[in-house]
Amino acid sequence: MDLLVDSSTIHLNQTQTTLFGVYDEVSKYNVQLNIAERLWAAWYLWMQNDTLATGILSFVMHEAVYYGRSLPWIIIGMIPYFDKWKIQNLKTPSLKEQAHCALVVLFSHFTVELPQIWFFHPVATWCGMDYGVPFPPMWKMAYQICIFFVMEDTWHYFAHRSLHYGPLYKAIHKLHHYYSAPFGLTAEYASPIEVMILGLGTIGSPAIWVYFTNDLHLFTMYAWIFLRLIQAVDAHSGYDFPWSLRHFLPFWAGADHHDLHHEKFIGNYASSFRWWDKILDTEATQEARKRRREKKLAEFQAKKKQ
């Protein structure tokens, strides 16, 4: 792997046996790199095993973001001031329920997701993903992440809607609907099969992109997963604030969109955006359900007149 412009000058010796020792050596010969890029390069050089380095980094990042983002929602749930913005304000999860959910999800992460993570690096590099330094420019990362949001949302809509088909719902998806009033930690409270099916949208979208374009960096992938995790936890938070993103981006789904899905058990299948539910008439709002009832009644009356 060509990590550094001057990698040929790096010779690890007795004094560079720690990560920060390697970091100092990298910094000495690669002053053009920023701090994050030097740390990234030092990590891979220090590990001496790219698959292991990516695996550990991926798992630690996932756990830190998932539980780190869930923690503020736990705190908010303990402060009565925020109750006025709780969507289903008559259903508040207890700390015991949240602790149980956190442990079940953590067990799933170690037994289901962690084994799969070790395959990520070889598969990603086979598809053409870069993981050297320097990192790609911000503008490139931004437009690629926007594309991944659209791709994942499309996969999520159709896969999620399929999981609401009778036998599939009972065998796979029912567990995720155990909580009719979701909270942040429930974002990944699901069966292993569902985790793999819906996770294909998150991992598969960048994999398809890089396979056909040969233009994607692992750091962009991590930025995408970071934002997708934030979105997933926030969508399950159970709170809709005046400053929530959906009030500024009308096509953004947000917590109110997914909370209604958990409450009604049907409709609002998309993850990030509202357009698929709008186009395919699967919105779960009261107005949409009323419109569908009136349409069916009009069709029934028209048939009676024939």
Side-chain angles (χ1 to χ4, degrees):
M1 163 182 140
D2 183 21
L3 261 176
L4 304 167
V5 176
D6 297 324
S7 59
S8 60
T9 64
I10 303 294
H11 300 289
L12 303 186
N13 54 45
Q14 228 40 31
T15 62
Q16 284 96 42
T17 54
T18 67
L19 175 61
F20 290 104
V22 177
Y23 172 82
D24 289 339
E25 192 71 8
V26 168
S27 300
K28 190 186 303 180
Y29 295 102
N30 297 274
V31 294
Q32 77 281 7
L33 300 177
N34 61 42
I35 294 174
E37 291 167 340
R38 294 176 193 180
L39 281 169
W40 181 277
W43 169 253
Y44 278 93
L45 284 169
W46 181 65
M47 286 297 295
Q48 295 291 297
N49 184 318
D50 295 344
T51 298
L52 189 61
T54 299
I56 293 173
L57 197 59
S58 300
F59 187 72
V60 171
M61 185 272 289
H62 181 275
E63 299 310 289
V65 176
Y66 185 80
Y67 288 102
R69 184 56 180 173
S70 296
L71 183 59
W73 294 117
I74 296 172
I75 296 171
I76 285 171
M78 299 169 65
I79 303 174
Y81 173 77
F82 294 105
D83 289 350
K84 56 188 171 183
W85 291 303
K86 182 118 175 42
I87 300 167
Q88 297 185 56
N89 55 17
L90 298 179
K91 299 177 182 178
T92 302
S94 66
L95 287 176
K96 184 179 179 180
E97 287 178 310
Q98 294 188 71
H100 168 76
C101 179
L103 289 173
V104 170
V105 172
L106 186 63
F107 179 77
S108 174
H109 287 174
F110 273 96
T111 57
V112 179
E113 294 186 19
L114 183 57
Q116 297 176 57
I117 281 176
W118 303 118
F119 293 100
F120 173 71
H121 187 89
V123 171
T125 52
W126 179 83
C127 288
M129 191 175 296
D130 179 25
Y131 61 106
V133 288
F135 296 150
M138 290 296 294
W139 63 266
K140 179 180 283 190
M141 291 177 62
Y143 89 75
Q144 288 179 343
I145 289 170
C146 287
I147 291 171
F148 300 155
F149 263 111
V150 173
M151 292 175 69
E152 189 282 331
D153 182 72
T154 300
W155 169 263
H156 192 102
Y157 175 86
F158 291 100
H160 185 191
R161 187 173 178 179
S162 299
L163 290 175
H164 275 263
Y165 169 67
L168 293 180
Y169 179 83
K170 188 174 181 181
I172 301 173
H173 192 51
K174 188 176 181 179
L175 178 63
H176 185 65
H177 278 274
Y178 178 79
Y179 297 99
S180 59
F183 48 93
L185 286 164
T186 62
E188 293 186 356
Y189 186 85
S191 74
I193 298 174
E194 178 174 346
V195 170
M196 287 187 283
I197 291 173
L198 297 183
L200 277 175
T202 302
I203 303 299
S205 297
I208 291 171
W209 171 267
V210 70
Y211 181 79
F212 285 103
T213 67
N214 200 36
D215 182 21
L216 183 64
H217 196 282
L218 180 58
F219 188 74
T220 305
M221 178 79 167
Y222 281 163
W224 148 243
I225 292 175
F226 173 87
L227 293 173
R228 175 70 180 101
L229 282 170
I230 296 292
Q231 182 276 326
V233 172
D234 286 3
H236 288 82
S237 68
Y239 288 87
D240 183 39
F241 297 114
W243 54 86
S244 295
L245 185 59
R246 68 110 176 174
H247 295 290
F248 304 95
L249 294 177
F251 53 83
W252 186 255
D256 73 309
H257 182 269
H258 195 67
D259 201 281
L260 195 57
H261 171 78
H262 275 263
E263 183 183 3
K264 303 300 181 184
F265 291 90
I266 194 167
N268 286 11
Y269 299 113
S271 57
S272 300
F273 306 112
R274 296 176 184 259
W275 49 61
W276 281 117
D277 284 295
K278 182 76 174 177
I279 293 169
L280 298 177
D281 197 22
T282 53
E283 293 174 296
T285 61
Q286 185 176 345
E287 295 79 9
R289 286 184 282 118
K290 181 182 178 182
R291 185 179 65 248
R292 286 193 289 269
R293 285 196 302 268
E294 290 174 347
K295 183 180 178 181
K296 285 183 179 179
L297 180 60
E299 290 173 352
F300 176 74
Q301 290 175 342
K303 285 182 180 179
K304 281 186 68 175
K305 291 178 181 179
Q306 290 177 354

